[in-house]
Amino acid sequence: MESQFPIQRIIDDAGQIVDETKRDALTKELALQLFTHMNRIRTFDRKAINLQRQGRLGTYAPFEGQEAAQVGSALALNDTDWIFPTYRDHGATLTFGADMVRTLLYWNGRVEGCVPTDDLHIFPPAVPIATQIPHAVGAAWAEKRKGTSAVSVAYFGDGATSEGDFHEGMNFASVFQAPVILFNQNNGYAISVPIQKQMHSETIAQKALAYGMPSVRIDGNDAFAVYFTMQEAVARARNGQGPTLIEAVTWRFGAHTTADDPSKYRDQERSRDRVDPLERLEQFMRTQEFYDETEIDAIRKRHQTEVEEAVKAMEAFKPPAIDDLFDHTYATLPADVARQKTAYLTARGN
């Protein structure tokens, strides 16, 4: 099946063009746009890890190494589209327009962090594996029934394809020809379980065959391959041609979360051998004489400032309301929960 679903790429590990059909589309403007967003979310990601280590943020899910997949896919969308992320897709949501302060609040366990920017369709991050896929398909079907051109994107990892929700979502999307893109980031591990131990099929892309759905397997560390593949899938969806499954083969450099030690289950030397998607794009820009050192330095400084200011705003946020812990699960508080709330407030002197 790997021969039927080869990994498609536009630039190689050294940033050289290998798909000449796209040469004219690889403009400086597009390269700089991709670089800007990828550098921005990497700056955010590294700062978030540092904050967690300092006790200023809760357990955090890093995505370094997957920036090309997240930025390339999100940039191909319109503001009216829907995004259904996992807990590791805040790079995509930030690219789509999510508020950075609210994103930090989410990782600090604040309910405000689950409230999306008012004018964007961003579903709260799904922590249970694959549950967001049927939601994404349902939203896409709703947009189709309303007669809009909006599409929906479900982000998920390789482990999600072992869940029933993945297959139910695929079947529903296929039967109703919903305008949805099922965007898989295959980083080779579902926490500590390698892909070879969670499925026998050679690729994730081939799973679409059973549902009569088009699919493609791409180099998820090639920002151009992701962007143009996503553009094509979005265009098909908007034109009433139904869903697409995209398998973006990538690699997570670090831990599954800051509570995880990846050296316990994988050889971390493999991360050192992997080509950084951001460095690959920079190499392309240098080869094409698109790289302006002064311009790039200014971008990096701007992002560092933006992230630091977002951290200050997050840490200056008013303390959480204790009612948030008790008052939004039941219409009427059960007696034991009411006693817990009273005991807490009494201990606080309230």
Side-chain angles (χ1 to χ4, degrees):
M1 277 296 178
E2 286 188 347
S3 60
Q4 187 173 342
F5 293 97
I7 295 177
Q8 299 181 16
R9 50 171 40 179
I10 293 175
I11 60 173
D12 63 16
D13 291 349
Q16 300 292 326
I17 299 173
V18 293
D19 182 353
E20 291 293 334
T21 66
K22 296 294 186 183
R23 180 177 286 275
D24 291 343
L26 305 183
T27 63
K28 178 179 180 179
E29 180 183 20
L30 177 58
L32 193 60
Q33 185 182 25
L34 290 165
F35 172 85
T36 299
H37 282 284
M38 288 169 66
N39 184 77
R40 178 175 181 256
I41 67 171
R42 175 164 294 185
T43 304
F44 174 93
D45 190 58
R46 289 181 173 179
K47 182 65 177 182
I49 294 171
N50 289 339
L51 290 172
Q52 193 281 330
R53 298 308 188 206
Q54 295 164 14
R56 297 161 65 190
L57 208 66
T59 300
Y60 175 76
F63 54 72
E64 183 163 341
Q66 297 183 210
E67 292 92 347
Q70 298 203 16
V71 168
S73 57
L75 277 182
L77 302 173
N78 290 343
D79 290 346
T80 56
D81 294 329
W82 289 80
I83 281 187
F84 289 78
T86 72
Y87 49 81
R88 200 185 307 283
D89 297 309
H90 37 296
T93 59
L94 285 168
T95 301
F96 190 59
D99 183 77
M100 189 175 288
V101 177
R102 289 186 185 181
T103 303
L104 287 167
L105 285 168
Y106 171 83
W107 289 106
N108 239 349
R110 298 292 297 266
V111 66
E112 297 89 348
C114 285
V115 180
T117 303
D118 292 339
D119 55 350
L120 293 175
H121 300 142
I122 303 175
F123 208 67
V127 177
I129 305 303
T131 56
Q132 74 281 7
I133 297 175
H135 294 153
V137 175
W141 189 42
E143 293 292 352
K144 180 178 179 178
R145 287 180 61 83
K146 289 190 293 185
T148 77
S149 62
V151 305
S152 176
V153 182
Y155 286 91
F156 55 97
D158 43 294
T161 66
S162 298
E163 297 283 347
D165 282 339
F166 166 76
H167 296 280
E168 291 165 7
M170 290 278 286
N171 189 59
F172 198 102
S174 177
V175 169
F176 292 96
Q177 288 294 284
V180 61
I181 293 88
L182 299 124
F183 190 82
N184 167 250
Q185 292 169 90
N186 178 4
N187 66 28
Y189 282 84
I191 310 183
S192 59
V193 182
I195 194 166
Q196 296 84 357
K197 290 187 177 180
Q198 57 174 303
M199 68 181 207
H200 190 61
S201 51
E202 295 178 14
T203 71
I204 287 170
Q206 73 192 68
K207 295 176 185 287
L209 293 175
Y211 299 102
M213 183 188 302
S215 62
V216 62
R217 193 165 177 246
I218 60 173
D219 183 343
N221 292 339
D222 175 354
F224 293 119
V226 177
Y227 177 73
F228 287 111
T229 300
M230 191 70 169
Q231 268 197 333
E232 293 166 5
V234 167
R236 284 198 300 272
R238 292 201 203 286
N239 292 332
Q241 295 174 279
T244 303
L245 172 63
I246 299 174
E247 177 186 355
V249 180
T250 182
W251 182 260
R252 186 188 72 241
F253 285 160
H256 174 74
T257 71
T258 50
D260 172 48
D261 179 3
S263 66
K264 299 292 185 182
Y265 55 81
R266 74 179 194 187
D267 181 4
Q268 285 302 94
E269 289 296 325
R270 293 181 64 190
S271 287
R272 297 182 183 92
D273 295 339
R274 299 282 172 147
V275 176
D276 186 314
L278 199 52
E279 290 179 4
R280 182 194 289 197
L281 183 56
E282 289 183 57
Q283 283 291 98
F284 166 82
M285 293 170 71
R286 287 190 174 95
T287 300
Q288 301 299 315
E289 299 183 352
F290 293 164
Y291 195 95
D292 182 319
E293 196 74 48
T294 302
E295 185 177 28
I296 296 301
D297 285 346
I299 289 170
R300 290 191 172 117
K301 289 176 182 176
R302 184 172 77 243
H303 292 155
Q304 196 65 51
T305 299
E306 180 190 10
V307 170
E308 293 296 341
E309 289 178 351
V311 172
K312 288 180 183 178
M314 180 267 291
E315 294 188 323
F317 217 77
K318 63 181 181 181
I322 188 60
D323 290 344
D324 291 345
L325 288 173
F326 296 99
D327 292 354
H328 301 294
T329 301
Y330 302 97
T332 303
L333 278 184
D336 59 334
V337 178
R339 284 195 297 271
Q340 291 174 30
K341 181 178 180 180
T342 300
Y344 179 84
L345 294 175
T346 301
R348 285 279 302 270
N350 292 358

